[in-house]
Amino acid sequence: MRELPQGLTPPRNGDEIETDHHLSRRAILSGAGALALLSAAGCSTSDGVLPALELDDVTTGSVRPIRPSISVDKNITSPGVMYAGLTDGGFNVPEVPYLKVKPEFRRQIVVDTTGEAPGTIVVHLKERMLYLVQPGGDAIRYGVGIGKDGFRWSGRANIQYGREWPTWTPPPEMIARKPELVKWQAGQPGGLTNPLGARALYIYQDGKDTGYRIHGSPEWWSIGQAMSSGCVRLINQDIIDLYSRVSKKNPVVVV
């Protein structure tokens, strides 16, 4: 316990000891005066910290963000809008019950983590995701279905061309496995039951057809699954969106 200065009457119950109050007030006024003198003399450190009270006067606006903000895209809206029914090419594409599709597999804008150049299509087989890399650090991500074990392809290639409501021609080896497909050996016309769906993007490597496609599918429930014969499938509404964003020769990376 510290002693009272001489000449001061000990406080009665309810009285305040003002010694510390006066000292604190004098210290504050003294500090404020010193700060005013330093300011008048133009004294500040090069890093924006005032030495008297060690206050940081750097504004938050001068701090660079880690990355640009997520972009806004008129075609990336609520799932109810993106997966609504639509008429396309004379076909009535049914709406997708998106609540039955896992949220991560719905079309959305995400931070690009692929490291690829804008315009590149990146398919992550393990994630069951397709990324279309955008300028500025973003990517549009779509959920996909992929090939079963033994039917997958990976590597670097490019989109040679695309087709709207494409004809599907099963390869001879598929007909051998499923003889009922012989009726389509000359090609199944495009339509709502066509396995290629509303759009198809044809993957070529070194000028040669790989036989693999990025395409739509009426089987929305297969997204996120490994059940195709090697191609990458999207919900019909998603492949229509993706198709509208790509052009001939877009790079494709399947990993």
Side-chain angles (χ1 to χ4, degrees):
M1 180 180 293
R2 57 190 179 86
E3 298 180 357
L4 289 171
Q6 296 206 3
L8 290 181
T9 304
R12 296 185 301 274
N13 289 339
D15 289 346
E16 295 181 357
I17 298 176
E18 298 189 2
T19 305
D20 289 343
H21 171 73
H22 290 159
L23 288 174
S24 298
R25 180 177 175 82
R26 284 197 297 271
I28 292 172
L29 291 175
S30 175
L35 178 60
L37 289 174
L38 287 171
S39 299
C43 296
S44 64
T45 59
S46 58
D47 59 1
V49 177
L50 297 176
L53 297 181
E54 297 187 352
L55 299 177
D56 187 354
D57 68 345
V58 177
T59 62
T60 56
S62 64
V63 179
R64 293 184 60 189
I66 296 175
R67 62 169 304 282
S69 59
I70 291 292
S71 63
V72 176
D73 188 292
K74 66 179 181 179
N75 291 323
I76 311 295
T77 58
S78 67
V81 173
M82 293 189 294
Y83 297 113
L86 70 150
T87 300
D88 180 89
F91 298 100
N92 294 320
V93 181
E95 68 175 323
V96 173
Y98 66 88
L99 290 176
K100 296 182 179 181
V101 178
K102 291 183 178 180
E104 61 265 31
F105 293 136
R106 301 171 195 163
R107 188 192 325 163
Q108 55 196 279
I109 299 176
V110 298
V111 175
D112 174 49
T113 58
T114 68
E116 299 290 340
T120 305
I121 296 171
V122 181
V123 179
H124 274 280
L125 297 175
K126 185 176 181 180
E127 294 180 5
R128 313 289 203 265
M129 300 289 188
L130 181 150
Y131 298 82
L132 177 60
V133 181
Q134 303 292 291
D138 296 337
I140 301 175
R141 192 180 74 189
Y142 310 82
V144 299
I146 63 171
K148 297 176 289 188
D149 289 341
F151 289 91
R152 298 174 192 165
W153 173 87
S154 62
R156 287 183 174 268
N158 65 274
I159 299 300
Q160 187 75 7
Y161 61 92
R163 293 286 184 268
E164 298 183 14
W165 296 102
T167 298
W168 175 64
T169 304
E173 56 271 21
M174 182 178 288
I175 295 176
R177 294 194 309 271
K178 299 179 178 181
E180 67 273 15
L181 297 177
V182 69
K183 63 181 178 179
W184 301 125
Q185 63 182 351
Q188 179 182 357
L192 294 174
T193 60
N194 188 298
L196 293 182
R199 304 284 190 276
L201 299 168
Y202 295 76
I203 301 175
Y204 276 57
Q205 188 177 52
D206 299 325
K208 297 180 180 179
D209 188 356
T210 64
Y212 293 95
R213 318 285 185 242
I214 298 173
H215 64 85
S217 174
E219 299 175 340
W220 56 264
W221 58 87
S222 67
I223 301 305
Q225 306 296 318
M227 57 186 298
S228 76
S229 295
C231 294
V232 177
R233 60 172 63 181
L234 289 79
I235 294 173
N236 269 331
Q237 281 86 339
D238 282 345
I239 192 63
I240 290 172
D241 180 81
L242 176 63
Y243 188 93
S244 71
R245 299 175 186 275
V246 302
S247 58
K248 193 174 181 179
K249 304 295 186 182
N250 272 73
V252 177
V253 180
V254 181
V255 294

